[in-house]
């Protein structure tokens, strides 16, 4: 968890960050505040019973998705777990389709069929949104396999949590990644807790979780995620390793979730962490504030200009909620769509024999 | 006025009593101890029983369930929570090939007195991967036992039996029922001083003469609502049978009822293909063919992965009106 | 005299032709390349196609099948061997929650054109954990397709269809059939120059008027033997239907046959509870109730885990005499 | 594989080996030759079609099972995979029950229900005999959990192959073993191959497979298994760690399988290893020969006395084959026994409701 980490060094002058224009830097800020605004609005409407199931909020971790994904090019791909709103907006999905999905509307990114944990945008190289802990880790490997198979120079970023490292599929994936030389970057977003369980109570480790990679002869690194400069500088090394050497990397990025595991956990049940700890992270390690300081220090924006960005983000979020509210629910018939490709596409195969057994 | 408690509290009473009775009983699972359980079913037990008896595990279902199975071979009696039964998918090999088959492959030298428990239901907006209803799959393997209580009283009585049973028991609860209240007698109100409900004994929840509705788990509640509508609106008297346990199965109660009503509908929240209802329908037509005045019918979840969209998810699962319509089609 | 090849060689021909047709097709699995396959089904393919197209994997079924599923989202078309279908148990989550549900949860944005294949049968003395027959389980999930060829011709034609299909296909072979010879036309003997057999089309292997025997996979062969005995020894003309694919399912062919014969028996090597036969029996009684002169019957594996002892394993599985006896009980 | 290892140092004077009486040392020899004789006989009868399924032979690896298991006391337990004959005889199971199991007879250790891969003897703390690769690794953990739960001072030895380390359950087990401080000793019997795949083609690693344990802060060691003195000396350290600190260990023991993966592989299909490699191991690394040299050098036995032991072992094996041949097959009704404890024991629960669905 962030507290276990020395304050991040200044990485502003890493070549990859030197490339950033003032506009780029403002856009990074805009993306983080858009994620936060979107999630604050979604929380309001969740509490207002506009949606069902879980709502796993990303607030506090925005710099990780925004920083890492800002490095990606046209053949780079992203896949993550159920805490997927931040990554979705970072890859360029619209607030409208994301909010509508939460409301279960036909205009949602998954037509209302997936919900909060299951956002997808293949056109933006975004492959979800997966609810089974670590279930996405072999899929991320497969994206890297596909890139290599097709002879494309790209990387697959596969995000997982600190609790997910204890699922066997992650380890099988590490062995395969190293053995087959696949361009996958596993990014452990270590927010210190898996639900109500601290890292210490869920995982045995030597210096950190990422170090488990060394048993597979895979390069690994641990660093703080609060400063986008550092996230970009350190992640770029892994992406270049993937692009140029087709070798995997495991990154462990220390971060912190401000809210409950899901809204159901808003009380941080069982007191698994203290109010003080949360407040300290909010006061000292807020990635939005850290980045804001950079922007102000570099004279890239004034307080007022940044306030304006906050306001725009909040307005966009409110409009997306309006959009979601006013969108129709899917038609009952649509329950049987998107089950079989061959049926949806009315191919001969899709018409041959019975596919559904309702009576 | 008789005591009413929730399904959740009924389960907790069963755990608490069995923890007190047998020092070999240990509860394990993700967040079951310090967090009091994702659905608070184990609330207060860690505080009362401590680290040895109530154990938080990492997110390693195959690992900790396999560990519990191994420990059970030495006489420990683990009651293992799957936060959702859906997560059996990552532990399937340990469950079926080790717990389910080691007794047979060892010629009876070993038995695994374990309980695997948790909610196994859709309808809560968590999407397809979190809405598995694997009772048909579990029950398809000889060596396994499958329990699906439909109410708090059964939940307590069947859980106590499950923990004492010396075979692997798959105990399937419902998040939709955890908060519901039912009459559950306190121990001083029951003969023998504790509430025990045997496996393999179905419960006739409502007597009827015109039609038999058979179900397990939450679908039983849906059937009871449908039965009321059938009587009130159509004068049709439906008998409602709650299987309680799917394996072992109380076939006699089903067949006797159908021999009386000559019509049967199986209702379940699982998918239709090779569902529990398919097995029961086969058995009914096979054993009391001449008693049937109409084909056996089924009402299941609509045959697609569980959809998220709340209004559609609601109609994807069986509800009383569908059962009534199905009943009218054969009555 | 027409060409005869083994079930094994028929599969290999299908792979070889599809590897040549589509550069996205890749075969992966344990020992499929340099070792030529544990059962030699992929013999010679690595030598011909090399490391890129024929890939040996470590013993990590969840890992490499999940990897194949992920690659399929990018348009690669992996044909993945499970050395035994029994090993699906360690990869179950990847198979069902990822391949089986990602299309639905993404609102149709994704599809997984994968084939998972291997032998799924008992009867070879490898014990309970290695004798799974999961066709009923696989077919119980909407989104999945299940193929069980009973002979070499179907094995080739259905495998080519499976590889071209854009949904996840679970392809179940039989070690007991790999070495058997059947007539399989060479490409120049078939219209269109290649042997393709569509999914969802059952095959009437033998016409009859008195009784319908329905089966899939190797049980079809057992049914044909039983049908001969029934005719020769009892003058009973049994129609034998080979489902070929369980999902999609050719219900019409089944129902038309039963409407003609008025009697049906489902035969399968799987366990009875919630078996494929339970689903088919439900459908028959539900759809052509008035055509039935007797209850639908089933012949399945005896309801216990697969036993090792060779003579007992032999009688645990369906054999012609049992089918004949069952037939006589309703004819 | 053994060739990757320096010739084993002399461990004869380790305290645990100093304790060995001449008789003990002869017994160790006797056990190894009994295993070899048993398997040679079983191979004969397998080829003679007296059994079905697979026959995975242990010949060449005898020193590992015999050496490690010779260290165990009354609260120490053993579990392994499908290559289980050596461990079975080493824990004290009789050749008769083991041979009869191969023949599928009612007198077999599993009543003919399990076969070659599924030997069990709970009365000798032997828990199988498991066919699913690495499926036994969480069970071994559970044995250790059971020991600790009951407050017994013991260890669980869980054997696995070099190919099994790539199954996720093994890694989940390592994390749990370290996190819960469980007295389990994982013994990787590294014979260099998983079926036809060399270690290099199946596993990514740094210095060796056991090193993966360090990512979980678990002690590990790699050593050669050809000399029982070394096997005992090094394994004893792990057992004492389990007994005294209730901490896990991962041992990787280099060994070599002389025959095919199973009899089906007698031709070492695809030439995954050379005749020369096999012959070199047989000539230079035969654990029986290595131990024999020790015995002769120490003057504990003469060639003649050792020949006598070989003969006795062979005779015992032949008699076990006779016993198996003359034993009855299980009765058909027994198919439905040993499925449910409650049914077998005719309890009320076993009589309540239907358990079997044959019609
Ligand atoms: C296989 C499986 N087990 C359990 C769960 C329930 N669950 C969902 S999230 C979670 C905690 C995961 O924590 P972590 O990996 O640290 O990710 P974070 O929530 O902190 O982002 C658990 C136990 C699940 N979804 N899948
Ligand atoms: C989950 C699973 N996958 C595949 C197999 C088939 N199989 C049996 S043994 C084996 C090789 C294992 O090699 P290793 O672990 O090195 O043990 P060894 O045979 O060398 O003793 C394989 C692939 C299996 N039994 N279980
Ligand atoms: Mg976390
Ligand atoms: Mg090996």
């Amino acid at each position: 968890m962030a507290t276990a980490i020395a304050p991040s060094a200044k990485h502003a002058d890493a070549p990859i960050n030197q490339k950033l224009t003032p506009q780029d830097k403002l856009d990074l800020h805009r993306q983080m505040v858009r994620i936060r605004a979107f999630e604050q609005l979604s929380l309001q409407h969740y509490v207002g019973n506009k949606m069902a199931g879980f709502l796993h909020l990303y607030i506090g971790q925005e710099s990780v998705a925004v920083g890492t994904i800002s490095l990606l090019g046209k053949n780079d791909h992203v896949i993550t777990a159920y805490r997927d709103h931040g990554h979705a907006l970072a890859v360029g999905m619209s607030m409208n389709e994301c909010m509508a999905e939460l409301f279960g509307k036909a205009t949602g990114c998954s037509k209302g069929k997936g919900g909060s944990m299951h956002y997808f945008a293949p056109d933006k190289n975004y492959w979800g949104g997966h609810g089974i802990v670590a279930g996405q880790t072999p899929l991320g490997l497969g994206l890297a396999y596909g890139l290599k198979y097709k002879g494309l120079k790209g990387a697959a970023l596969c995000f997982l949590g600190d609790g997910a490292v204890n699922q066997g599929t992650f380890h099988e994936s590490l062995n395969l990644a190293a053995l087959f030389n696949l361009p996958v970057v596993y990014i452990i977003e270590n927010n210190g807790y898996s639900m109500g369980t601290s890292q210490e109570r869920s995982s045995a480790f030597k210096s950190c979780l990422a170090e488990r990679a060394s048993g597979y002869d895979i390069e690994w690194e641990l660093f703080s995620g609060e400063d986008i400069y550092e996230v970009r500088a350190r992640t770029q090394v892994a992406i270049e390793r993937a692009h140029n050497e087709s070798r995997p990397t495991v990154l462990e990025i220390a971060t912190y979730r401000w809210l409950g595991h899901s809204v159901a956990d808003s009380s941080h049940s069982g007191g698994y962490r203290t109010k003080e700890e949360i407040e300290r992270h909010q006061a000292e390690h807020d990635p939005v504030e850290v980045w804001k300081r950079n922007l102000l220090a570099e004279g890239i924006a004034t307080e007022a200009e940044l306030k304006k960005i906050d306001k725009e983000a909040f307005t966009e979020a409110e409009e997306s909620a309006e959009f979601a509210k006013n969108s129709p629910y899917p038609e009952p018939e649509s329950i049987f769509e998107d089950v079989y490709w061959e049926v949806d596409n009315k191919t001969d195969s899709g018409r041959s024999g019975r596919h559904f057994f309702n009576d | 006025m008789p005591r009413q408690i929730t399904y959740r509290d009924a389960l907790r009473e069963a755990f608490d009593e069995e923890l007190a009775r047998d020092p070999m009983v240990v509860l394990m699972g993700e967040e079951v101890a310090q967090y009091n359980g994702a659905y608070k079913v184990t609330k207060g037990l860690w505080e009362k029983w401590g680290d040895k008896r109530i154990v938080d595990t990492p997110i390693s279902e195959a690992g900790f369930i396999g560990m519990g199975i191994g420990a059970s071979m030495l006489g420990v009696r683990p009651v293992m929570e799957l936060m959702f039964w859906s997560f059996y998918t990552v532990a399937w090999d340990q469950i079926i090939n080790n717990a389910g088959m080691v007794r047979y492959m060892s010629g009876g030298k070993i038995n695994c007195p374990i309980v695997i428990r948790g909610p196994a239901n859709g309808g809560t907006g968590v999407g397809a991967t979190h809405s598995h209803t694997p009772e048909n799959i579990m029950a398809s393997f000889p060596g396994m036992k499958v329990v699906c209580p439909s109410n708090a009283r059964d939940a307590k009585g069947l859980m106590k039996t499950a923990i004492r049973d010396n075979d692997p028991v798959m105990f399937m609860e419902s998040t939709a029922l955890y908060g519901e209240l039912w009459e559950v007698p306190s121990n001083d109100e029951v003969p023998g001083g504790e509430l025990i409900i045997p496996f393999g004994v179905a419960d006739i929840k409502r007597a009827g003469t015109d039609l038999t509705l058979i179900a397990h788990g939450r679908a039983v509640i849906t059937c009871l609502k449908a039965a009321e509508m059938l009587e009130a609106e159509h004068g049709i008297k439906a008998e409602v049978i709650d299987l309680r346990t799917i394996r072992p199965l109380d076939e006699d109660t089903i067949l006797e009822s159908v021999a009386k009503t000559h019509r049967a509908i199986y209702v379940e929240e699982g998918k239709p293909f090779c569902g529990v209802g398919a097995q029961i329908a086969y058995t009914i037509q096979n054993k009391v063919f001449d008693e049937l005045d109409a084909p056996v019918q089924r009402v299941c979840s609509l045959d697609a992965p569980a959809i998220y969209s709340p209004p559609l998810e609601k109609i994807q699962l069986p509800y009383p009106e569908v059962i009534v319509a199905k009943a009218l089609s054969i009555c």
Side-chain angles (χ1 to χ4, degrees), chain B residues 119-184:
Chain B
N121 59 286
T124 60
V126 286
T129 61
H130 282 50
S131 301
H132 285 263
T133 50
E135 50 269 43
N136 58 329
I137 292 174
M138 298 294 150
S140 71
F141 290 90
M144 304 283 268
K145 294 181 177 179
V146 180
V147 184
C148 301
S150 70
N151 62 81
R153 185 175 180 284
D154 288 1
K156 180 177 180 182
L158 291 167
M159 179 58 80
K160 285 170 69 75
T161 301
I163 294 172
R164 299 178 189 195
D165 195 276
N166 287 303
D167 295 306
V169 178
M170 309 296 117
F171 197 97
M172 301 188 184
E173 305 156 11
S174 168
T175 51
L177 300 180
Y178 280 145
E180 301 283 313
L181 284 167
W182 276 275
E183 283 184 18
V184 181

Side-chain angles (χ1 to χ4, degrees), chain A residues 56 61 82-83 131-133 160-165 167 189 191 193-195 257 261, chain B residues 30-31 59 61 83-84 87 90 130:
Chain A
H56 304 95
Q61 309 185 199
Y82 46 83
R83 197 178 299 283
I132 300 298
V133 165
L160 62 152
D162 49 290
V165 300
Q167 280 287 2
E189 293 192 66
N191 58 16
Y193 300 90
S194 49
M195 273 184 90
R257 101 172 121 70
H261 166 69
Chain B
E30 293 152 19
E31 309 295 346
I59 309 167
E61 285 83 1
M83 195 179 286
F84 283 69
F87 309 148
V90 295
H130 282 50

Side-chain angles (χ1 to χ4, degrees), chain B residues 49-310:
Chain B
W49 294 101
D51 286 333
K52 184 176 181 186
R53 310 294 302 280
I54 317 292
V55 181
D56 278 328
T57 68
I59 309 167
S60 308
E61 285 83 1
F64 82 75
I65 287 180
M67 181 180 79
I69 294 165
S72 77
M73 303 192 305
L74 286 185
V76 180
R77 304 182 78 88
V79 179
M80 296 174 278
E81 172 172 304
L82 285 165
M83 195 179 286
F84 283 69
W85 249 105
S86 291
F87 309 148
Y88 87 93
T89 54
V90 295
W92 183 221
D93 175 64
Q94 292 297 314
I95 295 170
I96 193 57
N97 282 326
N98 289 344
M101 296 178 180
V102 73
R103 176 169 183 77
Y104 200 70
M105 295 193 301
S106 68
K109 285 177 172 175
I110 298 175
N111 66 301
C112 297
I114 61 164
V115 176
I116 301 178
R117 56 155 292 269
N121 59 286
T124 60
V126 286
T129 61
H130 282 50
S131 301
H132 285 263
T133 50
E135 50 269 43
N136 58 329
I137 292 174
M138 298 294 150
S140 71
F141 290 90
M144 304 283 268
K145 294 181 177 179
V146 180
V147 184
C148 301
S150 70
N151 62 81
R153 185 175 180 284
D154 288 1
K156 180 177 180 182
L158 291 167
M159 179 58 80
K160 285 170 69 75
T161 301
I163 294 172
R164 299 178 189 195
D165 195 276
N166 287 303
D167 295 306
V169 178
M170 309 296 117
F171 197 97
M172 301 188 184
E173 305 156 11
S174 168
T175 51
L177 300 180
Y178 280 145
E180 301 283 313
L181 284 167
W182 276 275
E183 283 184 18
V184 181
S186 59
N187 286 342
D188 46 38
E189 296 173 279
V190 287
E194 50 182 354
L195 180 66
I196 304 262
I197 296 173
F199 290 172
V201 180
D203 185 17
I204 300 176
K205 309 291 284 187
R206 176 190 175 106
T209 51
D210 307 333
L211 165 70
T212 303
L213 300 176
I214 313 154
H216 64 271
R218 192 170 76 113
V220 172
I221 314 293
T222 318
C223 287
L224 287 168
K225 295 205 186 95
E228 280 168 27
M229 291 166 65
L230 281 166
E231 173 135 38
E233 299 162 24
H234 308 280
I236 294 171
K237 294 192 169 20
E239 184 148 292
V240 177
I241 295 176
D242 178 352
L243 291 186
R244 280 180 169 159
T245 63
I246 293 169
R247 191 165 189 152
L249 178 69
D250 182 354
E251 265 183 21
D252 300 344
T253 297
I254 297 170
L255 298 176
E256 282 160 24
S257 176
V258 177
K260 178 177 68 180
T261 64
H262 311 297
R263 287 173 174 74
I265 303 175
Y266 199 91
V267 182
E268 66 188 307
E269 296 193 348
K271 306 288 175 223
F273 199 99
C274 290
V276 175
Q279 174 67 26
I280 304 298
Y282 161 77
T283 304
I284 292 171
Q285 64 86 40
N286 187 260
K287 298 257 172 91
V288 292
F289 188 70
D290 299 331
E291 297 287 359
L292 282 174
D293 289 346
V296 181
Q297 304 291 338
R298 294 195 293 163
V299 175
C300 310
S301 160
L302 295 181
D303 197 18
I307 195 167
Y308 163 68
S309 186

